[in-house]
Amino acid sequence: MWNVLLSFSGLVALIQLLFLPFFPESPPYLLLQKGDKAGCLKAMKQLWGEGNYHTEFDDMMKEKAVTKGTKIMNVLEVLKEPSVYPQLTTMLLLLLSLQLCGLSATANLQESVIPYVSLGVAISELIAIIFCSSIIDHFGCRILLWGGYLLMALILVLLETSLLLSDQFPWMRYCSVILIFLFIIAYGIGP
């Protein structure tokens, strides 16, 4: 019944993908990153209903003024910052735990190949985190979520197809592994 379980995650992603366009962007993102004051107030009204949100808006404007002189660091600068080492350690431990997740067993591979697939899963997650943290400020959450869910849906269809054909064509198992890596990267960049 693993294929039903795999399809269920695709169904949840599809539902989220369908409803995502109806939700507004995050008000802090609109104000702090995009500088869109009117869009920020409109998003507040859409999210929280009619009311007076000038206090929250003023707080965000103060935050914008405080962070105006702050330099936005890139990924390499963040990795060199000692204050983030505890968070990086936690993240790396979580990535290493992916090796025990069982995704590599999905592709029906030889036992000798599975450790390399598990390592590839962890590397895929790391690539997704680095790539997402580099582009999220440029594109915003909505585009990354939408694109991530679209890619995940496409990859799940291709993965299901490759798993169904893996008995007839043994090389399709390796395609399944590549699709699993791509699914993890799409998930890490989007949702």
Side-chain angles (χ1 to χ4, degrees):
M1 300 292 292
W2 61 265
N3 53 349
V4 175
L5 184 62
L6 186 64
S7 300
F8 180 74
S9 64
L11 177 66
V12 171
L14 179 64
I15 291 169
Q16 291 178 350
L17 182 63
L18 291 175
F19 287 105
L20 188 62
F22 300 107
F23 291 99
E25 284 284 358
S26 164
Y29 169 76
L30 288 171
L31 183 64
L32 300 176
Q33 299 294 326
K34 296 291 185 180
D36 185 3
K37 294 178 183 179
C40 175
L41 288 170
K42 182 180 174 188
M44 285 178 167
K45 288 180 183 176
Q46 283 181 301
L47 290 170
W48 302 326
E50 290 297 323
N52 188 0
Y53 301 110
H54 290 290
T55 305
E56 291 86 357
F57 185 78
D58 291 341
D59 288 342
M60 283 191 266
M61 288 299 290
K62 289 176 188 173
E63 182 181 345
K64 184 176 182 177
V66 168
T67 60
K68 189 173 185 176
T70 306
K71 180 185 178 237
I72 297 176
M73 299 183 345
N74 63 30
V75 176
L76 291 177
E77 291 170 337
V78 170
L79 291 175
K80 293 177 184 176
E81 179 62 40
S83 65
V84 298
Y85 288 166
Q87 293 88 347
L88 286 175
T89 303
T90 303
M91 181 184 69
L92 286 174
L93 288 174
L94 288 171
L95 289 174
L96 292 175
S97 70
L98 283 173
Q99 294 186 29
L100 304 173
C101 71
L103 268 174
S104 54
T106 306
N108 265 342
L109 294 172
Q110 298 171 350
E111 194 172 322
S112 61
V113 179
I114 291 176
Y116 300 107
V117 174
S118 295
L119 180 63
V121 167
I123 290 171
S124 298
E125 189 70 29
L126 185 62
I127 289 169
I129 289 169
I130 291 170
F131 188 65
C132 182
S133 63
S134 300
I135 64 172
I136 194 165
D137 288 336
H138 183 43
F139 291 108
C141 291
R142 174 182 279 196
I143 292 174
L144 291 182
L145 281 171
W146 222 55
Y149 281 130
L150 281 173
L151 280 173
M152 287 168 54
L154 175 66
I155 291 168
L156 284 174
V157 168
L158 293 173
L159 180 60
E160 182 68 26
T161 304
S162 70
L163 290 172
L164 290 173
L165 295 174
S166 66
D167 289 335
Q168 296 170 342
F169 305 102
W171 56 269
M172 288 297 277
R173 295 175 181 161
Y174 297 100
C175 290
S176 299
V177 171
I178 292 168
L179 289 169
I180 289 170
F181 293 163
L182 292 175
F183 181 83
I184 291 169
I185 291 171
Y187 178 80
I189 290 173

